[in-house]
Amino acid sequence: MRRKLAAGNWKMNGTSATLTEISALQKLLPANAPEVLICPPAPLLFRAAQIAANTGIRIGAQDCHAETSGAYTGDTSAAMIVDTGAAHVIIGHSERRTAHAEQDADIAAKARTAWAAGLNTIICIGEDLETRENGTTLDLIATQLAGSIPDAASAENTIIAYEPIWAIGTGKIPTLPQIIEVHDFIRATLTTRFDADTANAIPLLYGGSVKPDNAAQIFTAENVDGALVGGASLKASDFAPIVTALAQS
Ligand code: 13P
């Protein structure tokens, strides 16, 4: 059985006071909880990892640099992330692709660097509204998969998050058939590229306006193994029901 994962991306939200949400979340988790990951902003990683140490909740970063060290003011290396106690890193989020002009090749380079440091990567892909409306979503997904995911991807080092840009922070979500179509396509594409065991074991997350009231339906899709949650991951009381819905799926 594939591992299930509920991941929270806090984006540029929160201060040290917000970290109490991690212990609050632990108290609300069901006994059979799947993997739970919280990705706070970089300055909070170290304290977040300390707080999460005995909870079973894991901590991840939101980005890392493709180089291992050097003159890159403001950036964070993969080794620095490992040093905080975090085990995961999100790579290629659409907000970084858009605001920082990250290309598929940059994302693949970051993934290789993150793996070399021992991090598990959540590699994000997803179409914008124009692509969705002109009917070329699957072409773009194929291009992003080919360009952003290096050949050395495995179920141990990679999770893929499908996040349609038009669904992020908008309250709009694709229909269930649209989610199923893309996730099935991602799985099929992985199957043509990797061995069957690898292709079947890489967890596929859906992201974009996942909320307590829509999570259970999204998790009915066979190739949805969890969620990457933005706004609803900031409060334990919102995130816990999503984790519970995943545990029950
Ligand atoms: P929202 O859940 O706020 O739509 O954000 C999704 C996202 O971008 C997670 O990475």
Side-chain angles (χ1 to χ4, degrees), residues 19 22-23 25-26 36-38 40 44-60 84-86:
L19 295 174
I22 295 174
S23 6
L25 178 63
Q26 186 206 8
V36 178
L37 176 70
I38 296 285
L44 299 181
L45 284 174
F46 185 78
R47 284 184 68 179
Q50 284 184 320
I51 291 168
N54 297 316
T55 65
I57 297 170
R58 294 178 191 187
I59 301 299
T84 67

Side-chain angles (χ1 to χ4, degrees), residues 48-83:
Q50 284 184 320
I51 291 168
N54 297 316
T55 65
I57 297 170
R58 294 178 191 187
I59 301 299
Q62 299 173 11
D63 179 49
C64 72
H65 201 282
E67 297 297 332
T68 52
S69 65
Y72 302 102
T73 302
D75 282 317
T76 305
S77 77
M80 292 169 191
I81 294 168
V82 172
D83 193 44

Side-chain angles (χ1 to χ4, degrees), residues 9 11 90 93-95 124 163 167-171 207-211 228-232:
N9 174 10
K11 308 191 179 185
I90 298 170
H93 192 282
S94 60
E95 287 152 14
C124 302
E163 299 204 308
I168 294 176
T170 59
S209 294
V210 178
K211 305 288 176 205
L228 180 55
V229 183

